[in-house]
């Protein structure tokens, strides 16, 4: 069975919902910023064609059943301000990995903390997942902080696991079990 469709996930300031083709111009602003893509395993988008190719890839992965690509929107304006990827879903083990990106002008307001908490709640109470995972570059201080503040545990470090942008780098591996999860902020 594939990962079930994810219905819109609300939080006080945000909604996580499935990506649509109309989101690409907003996503180009986000992924066209080299500061945003600095720690990401893909190049900075140069044009809307990069966005189209990305969406096509995401649609293929979604059809294969283990991936769902969501976007993060602001409730106040419906503006798309980021992405939230659920991938490497393993039905038998009821686990999946998450990856997230926020446009630079929205950093530092606790928004990814809010989005990740909302997703964790949904994953454990609605999707029946029992474990969420994330891999992060040790130098990505903000992302490591977000995960730890939500309650993810640093379970190990893989040496030179990825090569991206011409350089090999380590990754911190994080996990959060449904049984670790506390819904209080
Ligand atoms: C990582 C990212 C999603 C964080 O989003 P955010 O909404 O700015 O994060 P929050 O405001 O929820 O802040 C989370 C924590 O990070 C800390 N933080 C934020 N920016 C930081 C920085 N540059 N250096 C150190 N800590 C930082 C905050 O103080 C906060 O810690 P606290 O909760 O203990 O106070 C955002 O910076 C981003 O999109 N970066 C580019 C894409 C990326 O790297 N994605 C992750 C790939 S693994």
């Amino acid at each position: 069975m594939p990962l079930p469709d994810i219905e819109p996930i609300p939080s006080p300031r945000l909604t996580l919902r499935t990506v649509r083709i109309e989101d690409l111009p907003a996503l180009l602003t986000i992924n066209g910023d080299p500061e945003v893509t600095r720690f990401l395993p893909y190049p900075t988008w140069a044009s809307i064609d990069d966005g189209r190719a990305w969406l096509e890839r995401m649609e293929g992965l979604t059809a294969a059943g283990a991936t769902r690509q969501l976007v993060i929107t602001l409730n106040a304006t419906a503006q798309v301000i980021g992405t939230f990827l659920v991938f490497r879903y393993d039905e038998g083990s009821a686990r999946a990995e998450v990856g997230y990106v926020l446009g630079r002008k929205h950093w530092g307001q606790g928004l990814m903390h809010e989005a990740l908490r909302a997703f964790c709640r949904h994953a454990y109470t609605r999707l029946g997942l029992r474990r969420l995972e994330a891999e992060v570059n040790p130098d990505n201080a903000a992302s490591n902080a977000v995960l730890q503040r939500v309650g993810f545990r640093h379970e190990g470090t893989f040496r030179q696991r990825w090569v991206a942008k011409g350089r090999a780098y380590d990754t911190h591996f994080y996990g959060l079990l449904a049984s670790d999860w506390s819904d209080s902020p």
Side-chain angles (χ1 to χ4, degrees):
M1 291 271 287
L3 179 61
D5 278 338
I6 300 177
E7 63 204 60
I9 303 173
S11 69
R13 290 176 291 175
L14 306 169
T15 299
L16 275 62
R17 62 151 172 84
T18 300
V19 66
R20 304 174 190 144
I21 191 149
E22 313 86 86
D23 300 329
L24 287 181
L27 295 178
L28 175 58
T29 305
I30 296 164
N31 286 303
D33 178 346
E35 269 300 302
V36 170
T37 57
R38 179 171 165 214
F39 294 112
L40 302 178
Y42 55 81
T44 309
W45 292 8
S47 72
I48 204 79
D49 287 341
D50 289 339
R52 286 200 197 96
W54 169 84
L55 188 59
E56 209 170 291
R57 222 168 39 248
M58 288 307 149
E59 284 169 352
L61 291 168
T62 298
T67 302
R68 289 284 182 271
Q69 180 65 61
L70 309 178
V71 291
I72 303 171
T73 65
L74 278 178
N75 290 340
T77 59
Q79 183 193 353
V80 173
I81 61 164
T83 57
F84 196 99
L85 178 66
V86 188
F87 64 123
R88 298 201 181 119
Y89 168 65
D90 184 295
E91 187 190 6
S93 302
R95 74 172 138 77
E97 187 165 337
V98 294
Y100 41 76
V101 178
L102 202 59
R104 185 153 33 132
K105 79 180 224 227
H106 300 283
W107 291 2
Q109 301 165 38
L111 288 170
M112 196 52 79
H113 174 250
E114 181 174 322
L116 183 57
R117 282 190 62 81
F119 180 76
C120 290
R121 183 181 311 115
H122 188 85
Y124 298 134
T125 61
R126 305 290 290 276
L127 299 176
L129 296 186
R130 44 168 290 286
R131 176 178 163 86
L132 291 172
E133 300 176 342
E135 255 189 279
V136 185
N137 186 319
D139 294 336
N140 191 346
S143 186
N144 281 279
V146 170
L147 288 165
Q148 287 167 14
R149 188 158 160 235
V150 170
F152 279 73
R153 292 200 201 165
H154 178 205
E155 297 178 336
T157 300
F158 297 145
R159 293 178 308 149
Q160 299 195 13
R161 178 159 163 80
W162 288 95
V163 176
K165 298 178 173 119
R167 182 162 111 46
Y169 63 91
D170 298 349
T171 57
H172 283 342
F173 200 80
Y174 285 91
L176 181 70
L177 298 180
S179 54
D180 298 333
W181 166 248
S182 155
D183 211 4
S184 45

